[in-house]
């Protein structure tokens, strides 16, 4: 499947070596011959190693060894527990002396967590587990092996290789970067010259994983031997093309090399895969072959020792964690060449001055440069900007370095961002051409670090704000739910009471009606008796009195029910079982009241009877007298 219409044109132009160009760029003196004349040497085994637990872009692994542990060469010291985490391994066998902060291989030199190892001198490997046949091994297993071997990009960026290799986007070009355009450095050059076959094995493994349409191995035209060895190593592969790229700095930059080889421009905040390309450094390919074919984790790399401060500039295999003082010794550092000591990790364009000779070699350390006095401009030579715009002409990212410098220096960070500070690849081309010898990249790095700190600070405060708002909303919701629950319960209680009150009223009205009818019947009977001159029977009188009493009580019950209703409404919610039990109690009360009333009526009748008899007796006595 062709992703871009220009695929065929690119293949055609590459086959006749007609490439494209990128804007800007500079041609500093190469100085490669200082170090690229001899084979890579191996450093004698050091006594102490300082292994930082993070040597890549991403997050730290979890430390899985403790102080005092005996360890073997190649043993994992950390475990990768996050996608962007890559483990580090013991560079030799020995004892974990300490887990502590140690000076970092970073421009700031800020101490970072490191594992300090005392070598036992035996240099005993852990049992190695190579993959028997990578071509019959699944993609995900190979990617896991690459991660377990601790491989991250060795060209300078330190991007975790297993993340890049887990690509799911359409891919046309797998580009192998053998450009190494920075002056003085020759580690990749020597690696290609001496280990082209192993680099080719690494490329084969990547092809098996990524399945690109075409492989391009790019080597600068100032490395004819490397071009030849890589061409020989890849000659059997029809879809592998070894390409000679014109020497210009920074042609080895990822975006610049994609543009040179394909004319495609990687978007400002994008990656090469956005234009159908993926890129690996030759050193990374070598490490991949070591991990898969040999089963070895990444514990060493080639480092160039160069500059006129060395009596014997060369390339060496240096174990990760080796302090640079050991490399200085091995390169015969001549302190008489420097009036004030100055040691640069990296090349003259992108490197930084280390703050301590105990700074360790890490996965991205490709060079230790020791310039003699006057060999390179000194940062203290900075003078005022004369607005010559030479920096803009040199910038390969088409930025305005002068403006970036103003805003970075004056800490106007928003303005610096507006001028695309983060598109700056820190190549140093602008600083190289600056007649005022302003260390421009130093200002950009400082500004980027300040912006990152501000972003982290803002992220932390945003998270705290979100947490506070969420809590506030939760409490408000709970309050509203509580109120709603109370409202519903109150309405239910009111409805229940109204229903009970209505039934009681009906019962009382019926009782009153019955009593009234009975009373009328008795009154009628009394009238008839009176007409006949017969006295009313005592039982009728008693009943009338009883009816009157019932009527009075019923009326007062109605009043009482009303009062009860009103009182009940003011009370909190009661459960229905409570209502039922209060109904039962009311019935019992009514029965008790009726019995008491009967008793009172009987007593009144007896009293009236006695009174009547007494009156009769007195009347009789009076008549007789
Ligand atoms: S090259 Fe240097 S002096 Fe010239 S404009 Fe850029 S920063 Fe200023
Ligand atoms: S360091 Fe940044 S601003 Fe300077 S030339 Fe390189 S990309 Fe441009």
């Amino acid at each position: 499947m062709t992703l871009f219409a220009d695929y065929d044109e690119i293949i055609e132009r590459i086959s006749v070596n007609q490439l494209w160009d990128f804007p800007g760029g500079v041609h500093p003196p190469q100085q490669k011959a200082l170090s690229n004349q001899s084979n890579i040497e191996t450093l004698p085994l050091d006594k102490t190693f300082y292994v930082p637990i993070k040597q890549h872009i991403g997050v730290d692994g979890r430390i899985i060894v403790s102080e005092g542990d005996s360890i073997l060469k190649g043993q994992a010291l950390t475990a990768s527990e996050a996608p962007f985490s890559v483990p580090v391994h013991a560079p030799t066998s020995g004892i974990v002396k300490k887990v502590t902060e140690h000076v970092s291989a970073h421009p700031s030199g800020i101490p970072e967590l490191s594992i300090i190892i005392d070598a036992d001198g035996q240099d005993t490997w852990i049992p190695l587990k190579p993959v028997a046949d990578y071509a019959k091994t699944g993609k995900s297993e190979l990617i896991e092996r690459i991660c377990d071997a601790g491989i991250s990009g060795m060209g300078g960026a330190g991007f975790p290789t297993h993340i890049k290799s887990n690509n799911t986007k359409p891919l046309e070009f797998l580009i192998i970067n053998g450009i190494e355009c920075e002056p003085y450095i020759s580690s990749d050059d020597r690696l290609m010259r001496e280990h082209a076959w192993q680099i080719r094995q690494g490329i084969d493994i990547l092809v098996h994983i990524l399945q690109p349409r075409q492989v391009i191995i790019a080597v600068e035209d100032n490395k004819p031997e490397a071009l030849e060895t890589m061409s020989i190593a890849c000659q059997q592969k029809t879809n592998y093309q070894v390409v000679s790229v014109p020497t210009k700095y920074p042609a080895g930059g990822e975006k610049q090399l994609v543009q040179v080889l394909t004319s495609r421009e990687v978007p400002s905040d994008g990656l090469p895969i956005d234009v159908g390309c993926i890129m690996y450094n030759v050193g990374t390919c070598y490490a991949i072959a070591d991990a898969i074919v040999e089963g070895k984790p990444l514990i060493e790399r080639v480092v160039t020792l160069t500059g006129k401060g060395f009596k014997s500039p060369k390339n060496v295999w240096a174990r990760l964690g080796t302090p640079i003082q050991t490399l200085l010794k091995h390169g015969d550092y001549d302190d008489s060449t420097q009036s004030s000591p100055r040691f640069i990790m990296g090349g003259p364009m992108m490197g930084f001055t280390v703050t301590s000779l105990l700074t360790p070699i890490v996965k991205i350390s490709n060079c230790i440069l020791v310039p003699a006095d006057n060999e390179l401009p000194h940062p203290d030579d900075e003078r005022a900007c004369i607005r010559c715009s030479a920096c803009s002409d040199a910038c390969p990212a088409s930025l305005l370095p002068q403006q970036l410098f103003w805003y970075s220096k004056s800490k106007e960070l928003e303005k610096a961002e507006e001028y695309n500070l983060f598109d700056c690849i820190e190549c140093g081309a602008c600083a190289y051409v600056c007649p005022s010898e302003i260390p421009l990249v130093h200002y950009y790095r400082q500004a980027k670090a300040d912006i990152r700190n501000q972003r982290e600070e803002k992220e932390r405060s945003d998270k705290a704000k979100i947490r506070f708002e969420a809590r506030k909303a939760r409490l408000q919701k709970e309050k509203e739910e509580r109120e709603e629950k109370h409202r519903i319960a109150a309405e239910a209680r009111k409805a229940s009471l109204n229903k009970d009150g209505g039934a009681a009223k009906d019962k009382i009205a019926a009782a009153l009606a019955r009593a009234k009818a009975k009373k009328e019947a008795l009154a009628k009977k009394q009238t008839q008796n009176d007409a006949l001159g017969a006295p009313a029977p005592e039982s009728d009188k008693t009943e009338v009195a009883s009816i009157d009493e019932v009527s009075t009580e019923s009326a007062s019950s109605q009043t009482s029910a009303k009062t009860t209703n009103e009182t009940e409404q003011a009370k909190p919610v009661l459960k229905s079982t409570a209502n039922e039990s209060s109904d039962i109690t009311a019935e019992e009360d009514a029965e008790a009241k009726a019995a008491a009333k009967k008793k009172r009526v009987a007593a009144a009748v007896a009293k009236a009877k006695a009174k009547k008899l007494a009156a009769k007796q007195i009347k009789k006595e009076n008549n007789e007298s």
Side-chain angles (χ1 to χ4, degrees):
M1 180 184 64
T2 301
L3 303 173
F4 296 83
D6 58 356
Y7 178 79
D8 292 333
E9 187 198 348
I10 292 168
I11 295 293
E12 204 179 309
R13 284 185 65 143
I14 283 175
S15 65
V16 292
N17 221 50
Q18 282 186 349
L19 305 178
W20 287 267
D21 197 5
F22 62 89
V26 290
H27 294 88
Q30 292 298 296
Q31 308 285 16
K32 304 269 188 184
L34 264 179
S35 60
N36 72 359
Q37 302 300 308
S38 55
N39 284 350
I40 305 167
E41 293 180 15
T42 301
L43 287 181
L45 186 62
D46 222 325
K47 284 194 174 68
T48 308
F49 293 87
Y50 305 86
V51 185
I53 65 164
K54 187 163 97 69
Q55 301 181 31
H56 62 280
I57 292 173
V59 297
D60 304 1
R62 180 175 57 84
I63 297 175
I64 53 174
V65 290
S66 306
E67 289 177 12
D69 282 2
S70 290
I71 48 168
L72 294 174
K73 180 180 178 181
Q75 183 175 327
L77 304 174
T78 61
S80 165
E81 290 185 336
F84 270 81
S85 156
V86 173
V88 293
H89 300 78
T92 186
S93 57
I95 302 285
V96 175
K97 186 181 171 190
K98 234 173 183 177
V99 179
T100 185
E101 302 268 306
H102 183 78
V103 61
S104 63
H106 185 267
S108 66
I110 290 171
E112 61 187 358
L113 198 57
S114 305
I115 297 172
I116 302 175
I117 295 166
D118 269 348
D120 60 11
Q122 303 301 308
D123 210 25
T124 314
W125 272 105
I126 48 161
L128 300 179
K129 293 178 189 159
V131 173
D133 184 354
Y134 74 82
K136 291 180 182 161
T137 307
K139 174 182 163 175
S140 55
E141 190 185 330
L142 291 174
I143 290 172
E144 204 177 318
R145 291 278 196 137
I146 289 170
C147 177
D148 290 346
I151 302 172
S152 53
M154 296 172 77
F159 192 85
T161 303
H162 67 281
I163 300 280
K164 192 187 271 190
S165 307
N166 203 14
N167 173 58
T168 51
K169 294 183 178 175
L171 172 65
E172 281 186 342
F173 295 107
L174 167 60
I175 298 171
I176 306 303
N177 188 345
I179 296 296
E180 200 176 44
C181 54
E182 186 155 7
Y184 284 93
I185 306 174
S186 59
S187 52
D188 285 350
D189 181 15
R190 287 306 322 182
L191 190 73
M192 286 189 279
R193 287 203 222 178
E194 296 174 43
H195 299 282
W197 175 246
Q198 182 156 339
I199 294 169
R200 157 66 207 280
Q201 277 185 312
I203 298 170
D204 292 348
I205 293 163
L206 286 171
V207 168
H208 174 67
I209 294 171
L210 295 163
Q211 302 289 310
R213 290 193 79 189
Q214 181 74 24
V215 179
I216 306 173
I217 297 123
V219 183
E220 249 180 332
D221 60 10
N222 63 353
K223 303 178 188 67
E225 292 90 348
L227 265 166
E228 191 185 347
T229 51
M230 289 307 299
S231 298
I232 292 169
C234 299
Q235 62 190 355
Q236 293 163 334
K237 295 281 186 176
T238 51
N239 63 333
Y240 290 18
Q241 191 91 31
V242 180
V243 178
S244 170
V245 173
T247 297
K248 179 166 102 164
Y249 180 81
E254 203 170 49
K255 292 184 178 181
Q256 285 68 39
L257 187 53
V258 167
Q259 196 168 0
V260 167
L261 296 172
T262 67
S263 81
R264 295 175 187 171
E265 285 188 40
V266 179
S268 168
D269 53 354
L271 295 168
I273 192 61
D274 298 329
V275 292
C277 303
I278 279 185
M279 190 177 296
Y280 291 82
N281 170 265
V282 286
T284 313
C285 296
Y286 180 94
I288 289 171
D290 236 9
I292 303 298
V293 180
E294 306 289 337
K296 288 180 182 173
L298 178 58
I299 60 164
E300 62 182 355
R301 65 156 299 142
V302 183
V303 181
T304 302
L305 309 181
T306 190
K308 292 180 182 161
F310 280 117
K311 283 185 194 160
S312 313
K314 62 184 74 166
N315 281 283
V316 293
W317 281 107
R319 312 262 178 120
L320 307 180
T322 307
I324 65 164
Q325 65 184 12
T326 303
L327 283 84
L328 293 180
K329 201 171 150 195
H330 197 72
D332 291 331
Y333 165 57
D334 180 2
D335 62 1
S336 68
T337 60
Q338 293 186 313
S339 48
S340 60
R342 185 179 169 204
F343 310 103
I344 297 168
M345 188 170 258
M349 311 294 282
M350 300 182 77
F352 58 90
T353 302
V354 298
T355 55
S356 162
L357 292 184
L358 288 179
T359 305
I361 294 297
V362 294
K363 292 171 187 176
I364 56 171
S365 312
N366 54 1
C367 180
I368 301 298
L369 170 61
V370 183
D373 285 345
N374 304 321
E375 192 177 348
L376 293 175
H378 203 277
D380 297 342
D381 296 339
E382 177 180 342
R383 296 183 297 278
C385 170
I386 57 168
R387 300 170 189 251
C388 64
S389 82
C391 49
S392 308
D393 297 339
C395 181
S398 305
L399 302 175
L400 295 169
Q402 184 196 344
Q403 267 72 20
L404 289 176
F405 162 59
W406 292 123
Y407 295 131
S408 299
K409 192 174 182 182
S410 59
K411 303 280 178 195
E412 290 178 79
L413 300 177
E414 275 184 23
K415 281 275 183 193
E417 274 199 271
E418 272 174 34
Y419 277 78
N420 301 312
L421 176 67
F422 281 93
D423 280 354
C424 168
I425 59 169
E426 300 177 18
C427 65
C430 51
Y432 175 74
V433 296
C434 177
S436 296
E437 295 187 359
I438 301 170
L440 295 162
V441 180
H442 164 79
Y443 288 104
Y444 306 151
R445 280 182 181 148
Q446 190 59 52
K448 284 181 182 178
D450 290 345
I451 291 170
R452 285 193 190 106
N453 287 343
Q454 279 185 2
R455 282 181 186 166
E456 280 170 19
E457 196 62 40
K458 186 170 180 306
E459 213 173 295
R460 272 198 293 275
S461 84
D462 284 352
K463 276 184 185 165
K465 197 174 167 194
I466 288 168
R467 276 200 303 274
F468 172 76
E469 293 294 342
R471 183 173 181 272
K472 205 170 133 192
R474 180 173 54 78
L475 292 177
Q476 178 63 25
K477 195 175 166 220
E478 281 174 8
K479 190 182 166 203
E480 284 170 6
E481 281 174 357
R482 236 183 358 258
E483 285 173 358
E484 178 65 2
K485 208 168 144 190
H486 288 172
R487 189 188 63 74
I488 290 169
E491 276 180 7
R493 187 175 64 249
K494 196 173 168 186
S496 164
L497 287 173
N498 281 342
K499 192 179 159 200
D500 290 351
K505 270 183 197 170
D506 290 348
K507 276 184 197 169
I508 291 165
L512 283 173
R514 278 198 307 276
K516 196 179 169 189
K518 207 165 187 180
K519 195 179 172 185
E520 281 171 1
L522 285 170
K524 201 174 170 187
K525 198 176 168 188
Q526 179 63 43
T527 311
Q528 285 170 351
N529 285 341
D530 289 348
L532 293 170
E538 283 307 318
S539 61
D540 286 358
K541 287 179 186 172
T542 308
E543 199 158 350
V544 170
S546 166
I547 288 168
D548 286 344
E549 203 163 326
V550 167
S551 301
T552 312
E553 294 227 344
S554 296
S556 79
S557 293
Q558 272 184 317
T559 314
S560 156
K562 194 182 167 209
T563 313
T564 308
N565 283 349
E566 284 164 1
T567 313
E568 284 297 316
Q569 280 175 17
K571 282 183 187 172
V573 186
L574 292 176
K575 289 184 181 172
S576 59
T577 48
N579 286 336
E580 283 162 13
S581 78
S582 71
D583 285 350
I584 292 164
T585 311
E587 278 177 26
E588 284 171 350
D589 281 356
E591 279 174 17
K593 276 179 187 168
K597 184 182 70 189
K598 237 177 184 176
K599 223 172 165 182
R600 281 199 303 277
V601 170
V605 168
K607 216 172 160 184
K609 230 177 180 177
K611 211 174 173 181
K612 202 175 174 186
L613 276 172
K616 256 185 186 174
Q617 188 62 33
I618 291 166
K619 196 177 175 185
K620 195 178 167 189
E621 284 172 4
N622 284 341
N623 288 339
E624 283 173 1
S625 63

